[in-house]
Amino acid sequence: MSQTWGDFQAVVQLSAGLNVAILSFVDISLPAIKERRRVFAKAQQELDMHRSAPGKVTSAAQLEHDCQVDEMNQKLYLLWKESSSFSNEEDSLIHSTGILGFIGAALSLFLLWYSAEYYDASISVTGKFVIGLSFCSLIGAFIINFMTASQASVFTKQCNQIREQMRQKL
């Protein structure tokens, strides 16, 4: 007995629902991305305040302070440099998620219509493959957003550590 599109309609409905929901996956990584950018701006602002702080009582204390500010500036710059290439990838990854979401949603909605139209028709291996493909876009988008959010939070944590060092040393 061959399987029909009707036998797979529940799977197609699940695929359609999840792939339409994929469009909201960007919400997974956007808060982490915004937080990373905010923390970097705040760290730079704090460093600028320390740099322009009133002079120390002695020139030796001022020299030591300036060296510490330069050290923190170097750490912050190196972290910014490392994260700036990620920032470009970040925008590209979010764009890719939107494309995957749209393709997956369109494919799933087409499959939903097709399975309803040909409910009693026999499903081919190609049909099963296309249903599987509709789930792959969901998995791809989720992985992309999870990795983006994870990397953004790593940079945020490192930046916050530098800010803490600034508070302690400066």
Side-chain angles (χ1 to χ4, degrees):
M1 180 175 157
S2 68
Q3 294 176 319
T4 65
W5 278 97
D7 296 333
F8 277 84
Q9 194 168 44
V11 174
V12 172
Q13 288 171 347
L14 177 64
S15 172
L18 291 174
N19 276 302
V20 169
I22 202 173
L23 297 176
S24 68
F25 273 4
V26 173
D27 294 340
I28 292 172
S29 59
L30 278 182
I33 292 167
K34 287 179 181 178
E35 178 67 9
R36 180 186 59 79
R37 291 177 182 175
R38 186 193 67 76
V39 166
F40 267 87
K42 188 72 172 165
Q44 189 60 48
Q45 195 176 44
E46 289 172 5
L47 187 61
D48 288 342
M49 285 178 9
H50 287 293
R51 185 176 285 124
S52 63
K56 299 291 181 182
V57 177
T58 65
S59 61
Q62 183 63 44
L63 182 61
E64 182 181 345
H65 177 77
D66 291 345
C67 287
Q68 289 173 339
V69 168
D70 286 343
E71 178 188 348
M72 291 298 127
N73 188 44
Q74 182 68 17
K75 286 181 179 182
L76 196 57
Y77 172 74
L78 291 174
L79 184 60
W80 172 82
K81 189 176 176 182
E82 183 182 350
S83 72
S84 67
S85 62
F86 172 70
S87 184
N88 294 335
E89 292 173 28
E90 209 171 48
D91 295 336
S92 174
L93 291 172
I94 288 174
H95 181 71
S96 298
T97 299
I99 291 171
L100 283 172
F102 180 76
I103 290 170
L107 180 61
S108 295
L109 291 174
F110 170 77
L111 286 170
L112 189 59
W113 167 81
Y114 193 86
S115 68
E117 188 70 27
Y118 298 98
Y119 190 85
D120 291 325
S122 181
I123 189 170
S124 65
V125 173
T126 305
K128 291 177 185 178
F129 175 76
V130 172
I131 291 171
L133 187 63
S134 70
F135 278 100
C136 289
S137 65
L138 173 72
I139 294 167
F142 179 77
I143 289 171
I144 287 170
N145 273 281
F146 183 75
M147 288 180 355
T148 303
S150 296
Q151 188 62 38
S153 57
V154 165
F155 285 129
T156 300
K157 183 179 177 184
Q158 291 174 344
C159 189
N160 279 329
Q161 288 171 345
I162 293 172
R163 287 175 65 200
E164 187 60 35
Q165 288 175 2
M166 277 193 286
R167 285 187 201 103
Q168 292 172 357
K169 286 186 174 183
L170 305 176

